Amino acid sequence: MNRNTLASLFAVAIFVFGLPGSFQLYAQHHVSAAALSPADPLSSATVAFGGWKANPHLCPPVGTNPPAPCPAVDRFAPNAGTQFPRFSNQHTLAPQVAKIRSGGSVNFIIGGLHVVAVYDDGTQPQDIDQTLLVPNRPPMTPPIMNDARNRIYRGLDPFLLPLNAQQDRVEVVQFDEPGLYLVICAVLPHFREGMYGYVRVLRKDEELAQRIK
C-alpha cells in the first residue's frame, strides 16, 4: 500500500470516526445556545461613593443685591480639583446596602476626596474608634481615621495621589464569606456626617430567594 493510499484511508477514518485524543476534543469544543445565559446579576454591585452635585446649590441667596449669577460646578477648569472641594460633593453611599453573592465584587465609584474602609461582618458605625487617626498627615488635609480592629480592606489615600487623580477613581473589592460588612469613608468629618453603608453577602438560601423575585 503506497503513501497516497494510506493518507486517503486516514482522511476517511477522521471523517467517519472523528479526530483522536485531544484533536477530537478541540474539534468538538463549542457551546450550545441552550447553555448560554445572561451574566449573574448578583456577581457584582456598583456603589456611588460620594458624588458631584448638579443642582444649583451654589446660587446666592434670593434677594441678593445686586443679583449675582449661580456659579457652575465646572470641573473642566484647570483648578477644578480644588475649586469646589466641599460644598459641591455629597457625602453618601448609594445604595446604602449593596447585595452580592459569595465570591462577588463591589465596584466603589469614588467621587470626591474619600477613603474607602471595609469592616468585617457584624461591625457597626458606633464600633469605630474616631480617636484613632493616621499620624503625620499632609498639611491642610482632613484627619483620616485609623481603627484597624476588624478592618478587612482600606483603600488608597487620595491625598498622596496626583492632584488630578485625587477626586475620582474606582476601587473593586471582592467578598467571599456571607455576612453584613460595614463600609465607611475614613475621612473623619465625612464619617461624622453619616457617610457609611453596608455590603450584604448573601447566604445560599438568601441568594436563591433573590433570584426567585
Side-chain angles (χ1 to χ4, degrees):
M1 187 179 294
N2 61 33
R3 185 177 300 175
N4 290 335
T5 303
L6 286 173
S8 299
L9 290 174
F10 183 68
V12 171
I14 291 175
F15 178 78
V16 174
F17 300 106
L19 292 171
S22 61
F23 293 102
Q24 185 175 4
L25 292 174
Y26 179 80
Q28 293 180 352
H29 182 70
H30 63 277
V31 179
S32 65
L36 297 174
S37 62
D40 184 356
L42 294 175
S43 64
S44 67
T46 297
V47 173
F49 202 90
W52 298 100
K53 299 179 181 180
N55 57 314
H57 61 286
L58 297 174
C59 293
V62 176
T64 300
N65 189 17
C70 296
V73 180
D74 187 358
R75 303 188 65 216
F76 190 81
N79 63 341
T82 57
Q83 189 175 11
F84 304 113
R86 176 65 177 83
F87 299 107
S88 298
N89 193 263
Q90 61 166 345
H91 300 157
T92 59
L93 274 65
Q96 193 172 35
V97 180
K99 296 179 181 179
I100 56 172
R101 62 168 173 77
S102 297
S105 300
V106 177
N107 311 305
F108 293 104
I109 311 297
I110 302 167
L113 288 165
H114 305 300
V115 176
V116 179
V118 182
Y119 288 84
D120 207 354
D121 178 33
T123 308
Q124 294 298 319
Q126 59 268 25
D127 299 328
I128 306 300
D129 189 342
Q130 300 180 35
T131 67
L132 298 175
L133 303 176
V134 176
N136 304 319
R137 299 297 301 154
M140 305 300 293
T141 60
I144 306 296
M145 295 185 299
N146 191 28
D147 188 351
R149 294 173 304 169
N150 298 320
R151 188 174 64 201
I152 59 175
Y153 175 83
R154 179 167 59 167
L156 296 173
D157 181 352
F159 300 99
L160 300 181
L161 299 174
L163 183 61
N164 61 356
Q166 287 183 352
Q167 303 200 52
D168 298 284
R169 64 189 186 280
V170 178
E171 296 187 21
V172 183
V173 183
Q174 186 202 23
F175 296 82
D176 285 332
E177 298 296 329
L180 184 66
Y181 297 86
L182 175 67
V183 183
I184 72 168
C185 179
V187 177
L188 180 60
H190 298 178
F191 177 75
R192 288 179 173 174
E193 291 177 27
M195 190 171 180
Y196 59 81
Y198 298 90
V199 173
R200 178 176 290 282
V201 183
L202 303 174
R203 302 188 309 270
K204 288 298 182 183
D205 58 323
E206 294 175 316
E207 182 181 336
L208 179 60
Q210 288 290 319
R211 296 180 189 282
I212 293 175
K213 287 183 180 180

